[in-house]
Amino acid sequence: IEQQTPSVAPIVETISSVGFVAFTDKDLDNLQIGGTIYWGPPPEITYNQDYVVYYAQSATGDARLVAGVVPLGTNSLTIPLDTYHNQFTHFVVYTRSVAYEQTTPVGVEIYDHDGLVTNLYFSDTDLDLNMIGGVLQWTLPSDTSGVLQYNVYLTFTSNPWDPYFRRDALELALSPTLTQATVPVGTSKLSGNG
């Protein structure tokens, strides 16, 4: 015979997801990122040990790779500048207890901030041999919010990994809203001491 009055214990579910995840790319190179990932602490941390941050191919953590493990009480992780994000499209943050990692993360899409200008055009108006001068024009990227300034250099090879690569500064600290710079008439295209 079965007992008529059962014992009762309430089930208390602990939800321990971070509140939000944010990341702003500070690296202006295409396919490279750098900056700090921030997240809001979960409302309940009683059973939490730490946070695990992953690079992932979705907001749900598909095909993930550990970016870092952060102790409880710290709500950020710095990603070094010049970090290639490869095929990863998101950062996801999981909370972790001593026994388990959270099943469903909270994530943010990686927006790769690219500050590269395009459509460079220069028309030489200096008629002397090995001398240049004129106006250099370019098109700004669609988003210049992370650009503090542009610098214009005269280079002597197009490959910056060439051991003989060198450059001379023509214009430094140009406003990120400018779309042209003047190369003074009489500038030697053979210099390269910079």
Side-chain angles (χ1 to χ4, degrees), residues 144-155:
T144 60
S145 62
V147 178
L148 300 178
Q149 68 183 36
Y150 284 107
N151 297 324
V152 178
Y153 296 94
L154 177 62
T155 64

Side-chain angles (χ1 to χ4, degrees), residues 24-92:
T24 301
D25 180 23
K26 301 290 185 183
D27 186 306
L28 298 178
D29 294 321
N30 189 30
L31 302 178
Q32 295 180 0
I33 56 174
T36 303
I37 305 165
Y38 296 97
W39 57 88
E44 175 58 53
I45 61 170
T46 303
Y47 302 106
N48 289 13
Q49 170 182 299
D50 53 27
Y51 303 100
V52 185
V53 181
Y54 292 93
Y55 299 96
Q57 290 184 0
S58 72
T60 57
D62 294 329
R64 63 188 187 217
L65 174 70
V66 174
V69 177
V70 179
L72 193 62
T74 301
N75 299 320
S76 64
L77 175 70
T78 299
I79 302 299
L81 294 174
D82 300 324
T83 298
Y84 285 95
H85 61 86
N86 300 317
Q87 75 277 15
F88 298 111
T89 58
H90 290 76
F91 284 114
V92 292

Side-chain angles (χ1 to χ4, degrees), residues 116-123 135-139 152-153 179:
L116 185 67
V117 299
T118 56
N119 301 319
L120 284 168
Y121 176 77
F122 176 72
S123 179
V135 176
L136 175 66
Q137 298 174 319
W138 59 85
T139 302
V152 178
Y153 296 94
T179 58

